[in-house]
Amino acid sequence: MNVLVWLAAILFILMIVIGGKKGARSFISLFLNFGVILLITLIMADPNANPIILTIIGCTIISCINLFFINKVNSKTKTALLSTAITIVILLIFINQVTKLTMIQGFGEEEIDELTIFSLYIGVDFVKIAASVIIMSTIGAITDVAISITSPMLEIFNQHPTISRRDLFKSGINIGKDILGSNTNTLFFAFFGGYMALLLWFKDLSYSIGEIVNSKIFGSEMITIFSAGIGIALIVPIASWINAYYLVRTREKKKIGT
């Protein structure tokens, strides 16, 4: 416990020194997001609750915390939130279908021995739960990419007030291209870093490549990575178009008003 407190204190100090007030808000947002996820998870245990609706509500709250609480309410955070919402809805429909087809819901063979003493007939839709878990795993990356695109686009627009909507959109796409590769690799290596023990376990069990690929645990994590990558790829054109449309439309309204 003392180690956790010290690590949290070091992180807080570094975020304050480097990020100032925004760093402090970022640190607080970690606990707020954790509270939202914990609350959503507890409510999902109710058989009468719809995990998909809860996921949408949870993602909306998390996005508002990450965007409005940290970066305050402005044009770049508003368009980032709208872009994130559209992407999440598209991704949620897609992931729900993929989960049904791949049947990654529930528990893998490696986990059954530890669960034999428990009843799995708890009245919860594991397909929707699996889809919700994947979405919750991707919301942070999607929100991060959204604000990373809308923020520099606003700066470009302020520096070049007469820029056309098409050129502004192209600028957003170019920014997104640089972000796309780095964020996808981050998700990929985060998986291997977090599941290194699982891979070693597969080795000890003498799993072949085919058995590893067809393992439910491995498959669900890879689908999470691919879904997050798809979400990051989708948010680039969506955020670029919405932000370009909003900024140019606002400029045209000001011209008409004057």
Side-chain angles (χ1 to χ4, degrees):
M1 186 66 182
N2 290 335
V3 175
L4 296 178
V5 173
W6 275 107
L7 288 174
I10 292 171
L11 176 61
F12 178 70
I13 292 170
L14 288 174
M15 294 181 77
I16 290 291
V17 172
I18 297 173
K21 292 182 179 179
K22 185 174 287 188
R25 291 195 296 268
S26 299
F27 183 81
I28 295 171
S29 70
L30 294 175
F31 296 94
L32 295 177
N33 289 333
F34 175 76
V36 172
I37 293 174
L38 182 61
L39 180 61
I40 294 297
T41 303
L42 293 175
I43 298 175
M44 278 186 185
D46 183 359
N48 298 318
N50 190 324
I52 301 298
I53 295 177
L54 288 173
T55 301
I56 293 175
I57 295 173
C59 288
T60 303
I61 297 173
I62 291 172
S63 297
C64 289
I65 293 171
N66 292 340
L67 294 172
F68 297 143
F69 179 69
I70 297 175
N71 299 287
K72 299 183 179 181
V73 180
N74 48 55
S75 64
K76 62 184 179 183
T77 53
K78 289 178 182 178
T79 52
L81 178 63
L82 179 58
S83 305
T84 301
I86 294 172
T87 304
I88 287 297
V89 171
I90 296 172
L91 202 58
L92 193 53
I93 296 171
F94 170 76
I95 289 175
N96 192 41
Q97 295 302 315
V98 169
T99 305
K100 288 180 180 178
L101 292 173
T102 55
M103 294 185 292
I104 60 170
Q105 71 277 5
F107 303 96
E109 295 179 0
E110 298 81 7
E111 301 167 306
I112 292 299
D113 290 339
E114 300 175 2
L115 299 171
T116 51
I117 61 174
F118 300 104
S119 173
L120 300 180
Y121 297 98
I122 57 177
V124 175
D125 190 335
F126 279 99
V127 174
K128 292 181 179 179
I129 292 292
S132 300
V133 169
I134 295 174
I135 287 294
M136 284 293 185
S137 301
T138 62
I139 181 64
I142 292 173
T143 306
D144 179 61
V145 172
I147 192 65
S148 297
I149 291 174
T150 58
S151 182
M153 283 182 69
L154 178 61
E155 185 64 25
I156 292 171
F157 181 78
N158 291 333
Q159 295 297 325
H160 305 279
T162 58
I163 190 172
S164 66
R165 181 177 297 160
R166 183 176 181 180
D167 290 337
L168 190 58
F169 172 74
K170 285 183 177 180
S171 298
I173 293 294
N174 290 331
I175 295 167
K177 287 178 181 178
D178 295 331
I179 298 172
L180 184 61
S182 61
N183 275 267
T184 305
N185 281 316
T186 300
L187 294 170
F188 181 77
F189 288 113
F191 162 74
F192 279 102
Y195 281 84
M196 186 66 70
L198 176 64
L199 298 176
L200 293 174
W201 189 20
F202 285 153
K203 178 182 178 297
D204 292 338
L205 294 174
S206 301
Y207 273 27
S208 65
I209 297 297
E211 288 174 322
I212 293 175
V213 172
N214 287 286
S215 170
K216 184 176 286 188
I217 299 176
F218 184 84
S220 63
E221 291 303 322
M222 291 307 297
I223 288 175
T224 300
I225 292 173
F226 291 141
S227 299
I230 291 170
I232 292 172
L234 283 174
I235 195 69
V236 171
I238 292 174
S240 299
W241 187 87
I242 290 176
N243 201 34
Y245 177 82
Y246 176 82
L247 292 175
V248 174
R249 188 167 178 267
T250 303
R251 181 183 66 192
E252 290 173 352
K253 279 186 175 181
K254 288 182 179 179
K255 287 183 179 180
I256 294 173
T258 55

